[in-house]
PDB file of all heavy atoms in Angstrom:
ATOM      1  N   GLY A   1     -14.780  72.141  54.965  1.00  0.00           N
ATOM      2  CA  GLY A   1     -14.535  73.443  54.315  1.00  0.00           C
ATOM      3  C   GLY A   1     -14.884  73.531  52.797  1.00  0.00           C
ATOM      4  O   GLY A   1     -14.301  74.354  52.130  1.00  0.00           O
ATOM      5  N   GLU A   2     -15.713  72.647  52.318  1.00  0.00           N
ATOM      6  CA  GLU A   2     -16.096  72.662  50.919  1.00  0.00           C
ATOM      7  C   GLU A   2     -17.103  73.780  50.685  1.00  0.00           C
ATOM      8  O   GLU A   2     -17.172  74.364  49.591  1.00  0.00           O
ATOM      9  CB  GLU A   2     -16.701  71.348  50.518  1.00  0.00           C
ATOM     10  CG  GLU A   2     -15.692  70.166  50.564  1.00  0.00           C
ATOM     11  CD  GLU A   2     -16.391  68.823  50.354  1.00  0.00           C
ATOM     12  OE1 GLU A   2     -17.410  68.835  49.699  1.00  0.00           O
ATOM     13  OE2 GLU A   2     -15.819  67.793  50.766  1.00  0.00           O
ATOM     14  N   ILE A   3     -17.823  74.183  51.726  1.00  0.00           N
ATOM     15  CA  ILE A   3     -18.772  75.335  51.597  1.00  0.00           C
ATOM     16  C   ILE A   3     -18.652  76.131  52.877  1.00  0.00           C
ATOM     17  O   ILE A   3     -18.178  75.682  53.931  1.00  0.00           O
ATOM     18  CB  ILE A   3     -20.295  74.808  51.352  1.00  0.00           C
ATOM     19  CG1 ILE A   3     -20.774  73.995  52.525  1.00  0.00           C
ATOM     20  CG2 ILE A   3     -20.401  74.141  49.984  1.00  0.00           C
ATOM     21  CD1 ILE A   3     -22.256  73.597  52.416  1.00  0.00           C
ATOM     22  N   ASP A   4     -19.195  77.400  52.848  1.00  0.00           N
ATOM     23  CA  ASP A   4     -19.176  78.230  53.936  1.00  0.00           C
ATOM     24  C   ASP A   4     -20.099  77.658  55.088  1.00  0.00           C
ATOM     25  O   ASP A   4     -21.140  77.141  54.763  1.00  0.00           O
ATOM     26  CB  ASP A   4     -19.644  79.676  53.656  1.00  0.00           C
ATOM     27  CG  ASP A   4     -18.591  80.415  52.753  1.00  0.00           C
ATOM     28  OD1 ASP A   4     -17.418  80.010  52.845  1.00  0.00           O
ATOM     29  OD2 ASP A   4     -19.007  81.373  52.085  1.00  0.00           O
ATOM     30  N   HIS A   5     -19.648  77.994  56.339  1.00  0.00           N
ATOM     31  CA  HIS A   5     -20.435  77.505  57.451  1.00  0.00           C
ATOM     32  C   HIS A   5     -21.670  78.343  57.622  1.00  0.00           C
ATOM     33  O   HIS A   5     -21.637  79.557  57.418  1.00  0.00           O
ATOM     34  CB  HIS A   5     -19.586  77.614  58.715  1.00  0.00           C
ATOM     35  CG  HIS A   5     -20.365  77.151  59.988  1.00  0.00           C
ATOM     36  ND1 HIS A   5     -20.512  75.834  60.324  1.00  0.00           N
ATOM     37  CD2 HIS A   5     -21.032  77.827  60.892  1.00  0.00           C
ATOM     38  CE1 HIS A   5     -21.224  75.707  61.423  1.00  0.00           C
ATOM     39  NE2 HIS A   5     -21.568  76.905  61.761  1.00  0.00           N
ATOM     40  N   ARG A   6     -22.779  77.724  57.875  1.00  0.00           N
ATOM     41  CA  ARG A   6     -24.089  78.430  58.160  1.00  0.00           C
ATOM     42  C   ARG A   6     -24.930  77.515  59.048  1.00  0.00           C
ATOM     43  O   ARG A   6     -24.642  76.334  59.188  1.00  0.00           O
ATOM     44  CB  ARG A   6     -24.777  78.780  56.827  1.00  0.00           C
ATOM     45  CG  ARG A   6     -25.351  77.597  56.092  1.00  0.00           C
ATOM     46  CD  ARG A   6     -25.907  78.002  54.716  1.00  0.00           C
ATOM     47  NE  ARG A   6     -26.724  77.097  54.101  1.00  0.00           N
ATOM     48  CZ  ARG A   6     -26.362  75.955  53.517  1.00  0.00           C
ATOM     49  NH1 ARG A   6     -25.109  75.605  53.452  1.00  0.00           N
ATOM     50  NH2 ARG A   6     -27.264  75.128  52.992  1.00  0.00           N
ATOM     51  N   SER A   7     -25.953  78.077  59.641  1.00  0.00           N
ATOM     52  CA  SER A   7     -26.871  77.309  60.475  1.00  0.00           C
ATOM     53  C   SER A   7     -27.823  76.588  59.575  1.00  0.00           C
ATOM     54  O   SER A   7     -28.494  77.163  58.711  1.00  0.00           O
ATOM     55  CB  SER A   7     -27.637  78.196  61.461  1.00  0.00           C
ATOM     56  OG  SER A   7     -26.748  78.738  62.395  1.00  0.00           O
ATOM     57  N   ILE A   8     -27.936  75.297  59.769  1.00  0.00           N
ATOM     58  CA  ILE A   8     -28.827  74.430  58.936  1.00  0.00           C
ATOM     59  C   ILE A   8     -29.644  73.540  59.934  1.00  0.00           C
ATOM     60  O   ILE A   8     -29.291  73.306  60.995  1.00  0.00           O
ATOM     61  CB  ILE A   8     -28.133  73.608  57.858  1.00  0.00           C
ATOM     62  CG1 ILE A   8     -27.192  72.590  58.508  1.00  0.00           C
ATOM     63  CG2 ILE A   8     -27.458  74.534  56.840  1.00  0.00           C
ATOM     64  CD1 ILE A   8     -26.566  71.544  57.581  1.00  0.00           C
ATOM     65  N   TYR A   9     -30.817  73.049  59.315  1.00  0.00           N
ATOM     66  CA  TYR A   9     -31.536  72.032  60.012  1.00  0.00           C
ATOM     67  C   TYR A   9     -32.205  71.106  58.950  1.00  0.00           C
ATOM     68  O   TYR A   9     -32.401  71.565  57.798  1.00  0.00           O
ATOM     69  CB  TYR A   9     -32.509  72.471  61.049  1.00  0.00           C
ATOM     70  CG  TYR A   9     -33.710  73.169  60.455  1.00  0.00           C
ATOM     71  CD1 TYR A   9     -34.939  72.512  60.490  1.00  0.00           C
ATOM     72  CD2 TYR A   9     -33.712  74.476  60.054  1.00  0.00           C
ATOM     73  CE1 TYR A   9     -36.099  73.171  60.028  1.00  0.00           C
ATOM     74  CE2 TYR A   9     -34.829  75.173  59.523  1.00  0.00           C
ATOM     75  CZ  TYR A   9     -36.047  74.440  59.549  1.00  0.00           C
ATOM     76  OH  TYR A   9     -37.124  75.068  59.061  1.00  0.00           O
ATOM     77  N   GLY A  10     -32.556  69.842  59.319  1.00  0.00           N
ATOM     78  CA  GLY A  10     -33.152  68.982  58.337  1.00  0.00           C
ATOM     79  C   GLY A  10     -33.277  67.655  59.035  1.00  0.00           C
ATOM     80  O   GLY A  10     -33.301  67.528  60.154  1.00  0.00           O
ATOM     81  N   GLU A  11     -33.341  66.554  58.184  1.00  0.00           N
ATOM     82  CA  GLU A  11     -33.478  65.234  58.727  1.00  0.00           C
ATOM     83  C   GLU A  11     -32.187  64.393  58.432  1.00  0.00           C
ATOM     84  O   GLU A  11     -31.550  64.582  57.383  1.00  0.00           O
ATOM     85  CB  GLU A  11     -34.623  64.501  58.020  1.00  0.00           C
ATOM     86  CG  GLU A  11     -35.970  65.078  58.340  1.00  0.00           C
ATOM     87  CD  GLU A  11     -36.473  66.174  57.507  1.00  0.00           C
ATOM     88  OE1 GLU A  11     -36.193  66.096  56.301  1.00  0.00           O
ATOM     89  OE2 GLU A  11     -37.027  67.178  57.956  1.00  0.00           O
ATOM     90  N   ALA A  12     -31.929  63.471  59.329  1.00  0.00           N
ATOM     91  CA  ALA A  12     -30.814  62.552  59.132  1.00  0.00           C
ATOM     92  C   ALA A  12     -31.266  61.208  59.717  1.00  0.00           C
ATOM     93  O   ALA A  12     -31.916  61.090  60.719  1.00  0.00           O
ATOM     94  CB  ALA A  12     -29.576  63.025  59.871  1.00  0.00           C
ATOM     95  N   SER A  13     -30.857  60.132  59.034  1.00  0.00           N
ATOM     96  CA  SER A  13     -31.189  58.864  59.498  1.00  0.00           C
ATOM     97  C   SER A  13     -30.291  58.507  60.683  1.00  0.00           C
ATOM     98  O   SER A  13     -29.257  59.228  60.924  1.00  0.00           O
ATOM     99  CB  SER A  13     -30.952  57.737  58.407  1.00  0.00           C
ATOM    100  OG  SER A  13     -29.515  57.695  58.153  1.00  0.00           O
ATOM    101  N   LEU A  14     -30.588  57.514  61.469  1.00  0.00           N
ATOM    102  CA  LEU A  14     -29.766  57.131  62.576  1.00  0.00           C
ATOM    103  C   LEU A  14     -28.377  56.731  62.141  1.00  0.00           C
ATOM    104  O   LEU A  14     -27.354  57.097  62.748  1.00  0.00           O
ATOM    105  CB  LEU A  14     -30.416  55.954  63.373  1.00  0.00           C
ATOM    106  CG  LEU A  14     -29.689  55.452  64.608  1.00  0.00           C
ATOM    107  CD1 LEU A  14     -29.480  56.625  65.611  1.00  0.00           C
ATOM    108  CD2 LEU A  14     -30.452  54.285  65.197  1.00  0.00           C
ATOM    109  N   LYS A  15     -28.291  56.082  60.986  1.00  0.00           N
ATOM    110  CA  LYS A  15     -26.990  55.712  60.388  1.00  0.00           C
ATOM    111  C   LYS A  15     -26.208  56.944  60.070  1.00  0.00           C
ATOM    112  O   LYS A  15     -25.049  57.008  60.373  1.00  0.00           O
ATOM    113  CB  LYS A  15     -27.234  54.865  59.153  1.00  0.00           C
ATOM    114  CG  LYS A  15     -25.952  54.451  58.411  1.00  0.00           C
ATOM    115  CD  LYS A  15     -26.315  53.650  57.147  1.00  0.00           C
ATOM    116  CE  LYS A  15     -25.074  53.247  56.379  1.00  0.00           C
ATOM    117  NZ  LYS A  15     -24.730  54.134  55.313  1.00  0.00           N
ATOM    118  N   ASP A  16     -26.877  57.919  59.413  1.00  0.00           N
ATOM    119  CA  ASP A  16     -26.140  59.182  59.108  1.00  0.00           C
ATOM    120  C   ASP A  16     -25.674  59.882  60.382  1.00  0.00           C
ATOM    121  O   ASP A  16     -24.526  60.428  60.404  1.00  0.00           O
ATOM    122  CB  ASP A  16     -27.017  60.099  58.307  1.00  0.00           C
ATOM    123  CG  ASP A  16     -27.249  59.702  56.831  1.00  0.00           C
ATOM    124  OD1 ASP A  16     -26.373  58.945  56.328  1.00  0.00           O
ATOM    125  OD2 ASP A  16     -28.262  60.113  56.165  1.00  0.00           O
ATOM    126  N   ALA A  17     -26.507  59.928  61.398  1.00  0.00           N
ATOM    127  CA  ALA A  17     -26.155  60.606  62.637  1.00  0.00           C
ATOM    128  C   ALA A  17     -24.968  59.941  63.281  1.00  0.00           C
ATOM    129  O   ALA A  17     -24.050  60.600  63.709  1.00  0.00           O
ATOM    130  CB  ALA A  17     -27.384  60.598  63.585  1.00  0.00           C
ATOM    131  N   LYS A  18     -24.913  58.603  63.301  1.00  0.00           N
ATOM    132  CA  LYS A  18     -23.761  57.867  63.808  1.00  0.00           C
ATOM    133  C   LYS A  18     -22.510  58.229  63.040  1.00  0.00           C
ATOM    134  O   LYS A  18     -21.502  58.415  63.683  1.00  0.00           O
ATOM    135  CB  LYS A  18     -24.096  56.371  63.800  1.00  0.00           C
ATOM    136  CG  LYS A  18     -25.041  55.922  64.880  1.00  0.00           C
ATOM    137  CD  LYS A  18     -25.227  54.396  64.847  1.00  0.00           C
ATOM    138  CE  LYS A  18     -26.211  53.944  65.894  1.00  0.00           C
ATOM    139  NZ  LYS A  18     -26.411  52.528  65.870  1.00  0.00           N
ATOM    140  N   GLU A  19     -22.615  58.199  61.746  1.00  0.00           N
ATOM    141  CA  GLU A  19     -21.466  58.496  60.935  1.00  0.00           C
ATOM    142  C   GLU A  19     -20.914  59.928  61.223  1.00  0.00           C
ATOM    143  O   GLU A  19     -19.687  60.142  61.252  1.00  0.00           O
ATOM    144  CB  GLU A  19     -21.773  58.247  59.445  1.00  0.00           C
ATOM    145  CG  GLU A  19     -21.908  56.797  59.085  1.00  0.00           C
ATOM    146  CD  GLU A  19     -22.432  56.515  57.676  1.00  0.00           C
ATOM    147  OE1 GLU A  19     -22.723  57.508  56.933  1.00  0.00           O
ATOM    148  OE2 GLU A  19     -22.537  55.369  57.351  1.00  0.00           O
ATOM    149  N   LEU A  20     -21.863  60.895  61.260  1.00  0.00           N
ATOM    150  CA  LEU A  20     -21.472  62.298  61.443  1.00  0.00           C
ATOM    151  C   LEU A  20     -20.735  62.378  62.859  1.00  0.00           C
ATOM    152  O   LEU A  20     -19.705  62.996  62.987  1.00  0.00           O
ATOM    153  CB  LEU A  20     -22.651  63.207  61.537  1.00  0.00           C
ATOM    154  CG  LEU A  20     -23.350  63.452  60.186  1.00  0.00           C
ATOM    155  CD1 LEU A  20     -24.628  64.284  60.348  1.00  0.00           C
ATOM    156  CD2 LEU A  20     -22.392  64.234  59.247  1.00  0.00           C
ATOM    157  N   HIS A  21     -21.288  61.655  63.850  1.00  0.00           N
ATOM    158  CA  HIS A  21     -20.721  61.670  65.204  1.00  0.00           C
ATOM    159  C   HIS A  21     -19.282  61.134  65.163  1.00  0.00           C
ATOM    160  O   HIS A  21     -18.374  61.637  65.754  1.00  0.00           O
ATOM    161  CB  HIS A  21     -21.570  60.919  66.214  1.00  0.00           C
ATOM    162  CG  HIS A  21     -20.984  60.794  67.526  1.00  0.00           C
ATOM    163  ND1 HIS A  21     -20.897  61.864  68.417  1.00  0.00           N
ATOM    164  CD2 HIS A  21     -20.380  59.710  68.189  1.00  0.00           C
ATOM    165  CE1 HIS A  21     -20.297  61.395  69.506  1.00  0.00           C
ATOM    166  NE2 HIS A  21     -19.997  60.208  69.370  1.00  0.00           N
ATOM    167  N   GLU A  22     -19.115  59.934  64.420  1.00  0.00           N
ATOM    168  CA  GLU A  22     -17.862  59.299  64.388  1.00  0.00           C
ATOM    169  C   GLU A  22     -16.819  60.137  63.655  1.00  0.00           C
ATOM    170  O   GLU A  22     -15.601  60.049  63.885  1.00  0.00           O
ATOM    171  CB  GLU A  22     -18.009  57.954  63.649  1.00  0.00           C
ATOM    172  CG  GLU A  22     -18.714  56.903  64.501  1.00  0.00           C
ATOM    173  CD  GLU A  22     -19.101  55.623  63.749  1.00  0.00           C
ATOM    174  OE1 GLU A  22     -18.854  55.579  62.528  1.00  0.00           O
ATOM    175  OE2 GLU A  22     -19.687  54.743  64.344  1.00  0.00           O
ATOM    176  N   GLU A  23     -17.291  61.001  62.663  1.00  0.00           N
ATOM    177  CA  GLU A  23     -16.356  61.923  61.977  1.00  0.00           C
ATOM    178  C   GLU A  23     -15.997  63.164  62.797  1.00  0.00           C
ATOM    179  O   GLU A  23     -15.255  63.976  62.370  1.00  0.00           O
ATOM    180  CB  GLU A  23     -16.978  62.301  60.659  1.00  0.00           C
ATOM    181  CG  GLU A  23     -17.095  61.183  59.642  1.00  0.00           C
ATOM    182  CD  GLU A  23     -17.774  61.547  58.382  1.00  0.00           C
ATOM    183  OE1 GLU A  23     -17.386  62.655  57.802  1.00  0.00           O
ATOM    184  OE2 GLU A  23     -18.685  60.851  57.920  1.00  0.00           O
ATOM    185  N   GLY A  24     -16.631  63.315  63.966  1.00  0.00           N
ATOM    186  CA  GLY A  24     -16.432  64.402  64.768  1.00  0.00           C
ATOM    187  C   GLY A  24     -17.212  65.700  64.409  1.00  0.00           C
ATOM    188  O   GLY A  24     -16.827  66.843  64.759  1.00  0.00           O
ATOM    189  N   ILE A  25     -18.277  65.535  63.646  1.00  0.00           N
ATOM    190  CA  ILE A  25     -19.078  66.596  63.181  1.00  0.00           C
ATOM    191  C   ILE A  25     -20.091  66.828  64.229  1.00  0.00           C
ATOM    192  O   ILE A  25     -20.902  65.996  64.529  1.00  0.00           O
ATOM    193  CB  ILE A  25     -19.712  66.314  61.841  1.00  0.00           C
ATOM    194  CG1 ILE A  25     -18.551  66.093  60.787  1.00  0.00           C
ATOM    195  CG2 ILE A  25     -20.672  67.410  61.403  1.00  0.00           C
ATOM    196  CD1 ILE A  25     -19.050  65.597  59.489  1.00  0.00           C
ATOM    197  N   GLU A  26     -20.149  68.094  64.854  1.00  0.00           N
ATOM    198  CA  GLU A  26     -21.070  68.385  65.892  1.00  0.00           C
ATOM    199  C   GLU A  26     -22.445  68.754  65.354  1.00  0.00           C
ATOM    200  O   GLU A  26     -22.573  69.580  64.365  1.00  0.00           O
ATOM    201  CB  GLU A  26     -20.518  69.536  66.774  1.00  0.00           C
ATOM    202  CG  GLU A  26     -21.347  69.788  67.996  1.00  0.00           C
ATOM    203  CD  GLU A  26     -20.763  70.845  68.873  1.00  0.00           C
ATOM    204  OE1 GLU A  26     -19.513  71.164  68.718  1.00  0.00           O
ATOM    205  OE2 GLU A  26     -21.469  71.317  69.750  1.00  0.00           O
ATOM    206  N   PHE A  27     -23.425  68.143  65.907  1.00  0.00           N
ATOM    207  CA  PHE A  27     -24.841  68.457  65.613  1.00  0.00           C
ATOM    208  C   PHE A  27     -25.711  68.100  66.775  1.00  0.00           C
ATOM    209  O   PHE A  27     -25.249  67.432  67.683  1.00  0.00           O
ATOM    210  CB  PHE A  27     -25.299  67.679  64.366  1.00  0.00           C
ATOM    211  CG  PHE A  27     -25.319  66.200  64.563  1.00  0.00           C
ATOM    212  CD1 PHE A  27     -26.473  65.520  64.994  1.00  0.00           C
ATOM    213  CD2 PHE A  27     -24.202  65.436  64.419  1.00  0.00           C
ATOM    214  CE1 PHE A  27     -26.448  64.126  65.218  1.00  0.00           C
ATOM    215  CE2 PHE A  27     -24.126  64.082  64.625  1.00  0.00           C
ATOM    216  CZ  PHE A  27     -25.308  63.407  65.060  1.00  0.00           C
ATOM    217  N   HIS A  28     -26.886  68.615  66.824  1.00  0.00           N
ATOM    218  CA  HIS A  28     -27.804  68.426  67.946  1.00  0.00           C
ATOM    219  C   HIS A  28     -29.249  68.221  67.408  1.00  0.00           C
ATOM    220  O   HIS A  28     -29.660  68.948  66.487  1.00  0.00           O
ATOM    221  CB  HIS A  28     -27.790  69.589  68.902  1.00  0.00           C
ATOM    222  CG  HIS A  28     -26.417  69.882  69.436  1.00  0.00           C
ATOM    223  ND1 HIS A  28     -25.884  69.219  70.460  1.00  0.00           N
ATOM    224  CD2 HIS A  28     -25.490  70.856  69.044  1.00  0.00           C
ATOM    225  CE1 HIS A  28     -24.651  69.689  70.637  1.00  0.00           C
ATOM    226  NE2 HIS A  28     -24.416  70.711  69.828  1.00  0.00           N
ATOM    227  N   PRO A  29     -29.974  67.294  68.019  1.00  0.00           N
ATOM    228  CA  PRO A  29     -31.347  67.190  67.558  1.00  0.00           C
ATOM    229  C   PRO A  29     -32.189  68.375  68.026  1.00  0.00           C
ATOM    230  O   PRO A  29     -31.915  69.000  69.105  1.00  0.00           O
ATOM    231  CB  PRO A  29     -31.849  65.956  68.301  1.00  0.00           C
ATOM    232  CG  PRO A  29     -30.895  65.806  69.475  1.00  0.00           C
ATOM    233  CD  PRO A  29     -29.617  66.392  69.054  1.00  0.00           C
ATOM    234  N   LEU A  30     -33.132  68.764  67.237  1.00  0.00           N
ATOM    235  CA  LEU A  30     -34.009  69.891  67.587  1.00  0.00           C
ATOM    236  C   LEU A  30     -34.933  69.388  68.694  1.00  0.00           C
ATOM    237  O   LEU A  30     -35.418  68.298  68.640  1.00  0.00           O
ATOM    238  CB  LEU A  30     -34.899  70.359  66.375  1.00  0.00           C
ATOM    239  CG  LEU A  30     -34.170  71.109  65.306  1.00  0.00           C
ATOM    240  CD1 LEU A  30     -35.106  71.392  64.167  1.00  0.00           C
ATOM    241  CD2 LEU A  30     -33.687  72.478  65.832  1.00  0.00           C
ATOM    242  N   PRO A  31     -35.224  70.262  69.722  1.00  0.00           N
ATOM    243  CA  PRO A  31     -36.075  69.763  70.774  1.00  0.00           C
ATOM    244  C   PRO A  31     -37.532  69.577  70.247  1.00  0.00           C
ATOM    245  O   PRO A  31     -38.015  70.420  69.531  1.00  0.00           O
ATOM    246  CB  PRO A  31     -36.004  70.865  71.818  1.00  0.00           C
ATOM    247  CG  PRO A  31     -35.461  72.061  71.124  1.00  0.00           C
ATOM    248  CD  PRO A  31     -34.679  71.518  69.929  1.00  0.00           C
ATOM    249  N   VAL A  32     -38.144  68.483  70.613  1.00  0.00           N
ATOM    250  CA  VAL A  32     -39.490  68.196  70.251  1.00  0.00           C
ATOM    251  C   VAL A  32     -40.269  67.861  71.532  1.00  0.00           C
ATOM    252  O   VAL A  32     -39.845  66.977  72.333  1.00  0.00           O
ATOM    253  CB  VAL A  32     -39.585  67.008  69.236  1.00  0.00           C
ATOM    254  CG1 VAL A  32     -41.074  66.692  68.934  1.00  0.00           C
ATOM    255  CG2 VAL A  32     -38.810  67.324  67.986  1.00  0.00           C
ATOM    256  N   LEU A  33     -41.374  68.543  71.754  1.00  0.00           N
ATOM    257  CA  LEU A  33     -42.145  68.245  72.956  1.00  0.00           C
ATOM    258  C   LEU A  33     -43.233  67.228  72.682  1.00  0.00           C
ATOM    259  O   LEU A  33     -43.711  67.246  71.537  1.00  0.00           O
ATOM    260  CB  LEU A  33     -42.773  69.576  73.477  1.00  0.00           C
ATOM    261  CG  LEU A  33     -41.737  70.668  73.846  1.00  0.00           C
ATOM    262  CD1 LEU A  33     -42.419  71.963  74.201  1.00  0.00           C
ATOM    263  CD2 LEU A  33     -40.868  70.180  74.934  1.00  0.00           C
ATOM    264  N   PRO A  34     -43.623  66.445  73.632  1.00  0.00           N
ATOM    265  CA  PRO A  34     -44.592  65.427  73.393  1.00  0.00           C
ATOM    266  C   PRO A  34     -45.942  65.935  72.823  1.00  0.00           C
ATOM    267  O   PRO A  34     -46.506  65.411  71.902  1.00  0.00           O
ATOM    268  CB  PRO A  34     -44.860  64.768  74.761  1.00  0.00           C
ATOM    269  CG  PRO A  34     -43.577  65.089  75.533  1.00  0.00           C
ATOM    270  CD  PRO A  34     -43.084  66.354  74.936  1.00  0.00           C
ATOM    271  N   ASP A  35     -46.396  67.129  73.287  1.00  0.00           N
ATOM    272  CA  ASP A  35     -47.634  67.681  72.794  1.00  0.00           C
ATOM    273  C   ASP A  35     -47.558  68.139  71.391  1.00  0.00           C
ATOM    274  O   ASP A  35     -48.545  68.339  70.726  1.00  0.00           O
ATOM    275  CB  ASP A  35     -48.197  68.754  73.698  1.00  0.00           C
ATOM    276  CG  ASP A  35     -47.130  69.834  74.046  1.00  0.00           C
ATOM    277  OD1 ASP A  35     -45.898  69.568  73.950  1.00  0.00           O
ATOM    278  OD2 ASP A  35     -47.573  70.989  74.443  1.00  0.00           O
ATOM    279  N   GLU A  36     -46.375  68.357  70.816  1.00  0.00           N
ATOM    280  CA  GLU A  36     -46.204  68.797  69.439  1.00  0.00           C
ATOM    281  C   GLU A  36     -46.365  67.597  68.508  1.00  0.00           C
ATOM    282  O   GLU A  36     -46.557  67.771  67.292  1.00  0.00           O
ATOM    283  CB  GLU A  36     -44.773  69.351  69.232  1.00  0.00           C
ATOM    284  CG  GLU A  36     -44.619  70.700  69.923  1.00  0.00           C
ATOM    285  CD  GLU A  36     -43.201  71.255  69.744  1.00  0.00           C
ATOM    286  OE1 GLU A  36     -42.351  70.536  69.298  1.00  0.00           O
ATOM    287  OE2 GLU A  36     -43.018  72.470  69.997  1.00  0.00           O
ATOM    288  N   ARG A  37     -46.376  66.372  68.982  1.00  0.00           N
ATOM    289  CA  ARG A  37     -46.545  65.170  68.107  1.00  0.00           C
ATOM    290  C   ARG A  37     -47.982  64.752  68.073  1.00  0.00           C
ATOM    291  O   ARG A  37     -48.293  63.861  67.381  1.00  0.00           O
ATOM    292  CB  ARG A  37     -45.689  64.031  68.688  1.00  0.00           C
ATOM    293  CG  ARG A  37     -44.205  64.235  68.427  1.00  0.00           C
ATOM    294  CD  ARG A  37     -43.444  62.959  68.814  1.00  0.00           C
ATOM    295  NE  ARG A  37     -42.443  63.341  69.814  1.00  0.00           N
ATOM    296  CZ  ARG A  37     -42.248  62.798  70.894  1.00  0.00           C
ATOM    297  NH1 ARG A  37     -42.906  61.754  71.292  1.00  0.00           N
ATOM    298  NH2 ARG A  37     -41.235  63.208  71.674  1.00  0.00           N
TER     299      ARG A  37
END
């Protein structure tokens, strides 16, 4: 609740993702298709 909720995307390390998950913060990876790589 420190800032207003809005839709965001960016990068997170595996460590950051694990910590967010453990804190109960919901997030989802953006879908990436093999041919996009």
Side-chain angles (χ1 to χ4, degrees):
E2 297 172 23
I3 61 174
D4 289 337
H5 181 81
R6 69 188 198 283
S7 294
I8 61 170
Y9 72 103
E11 290 90 37
S13 68
L14 183 57
K15 178 181 179 264
D16 286 337
K18 284 181 181 180
E19 289 172 356
L20 289 172
H21 176 74
E22 288 169 359
E23 290 177 52
I25 300 171
E26 187 174 344
F27 63 95
H28 303 280
L30 286 175
V32 178
L33 301 174
D35 51 339
E36 291 177 346
R37 286 188 235 131

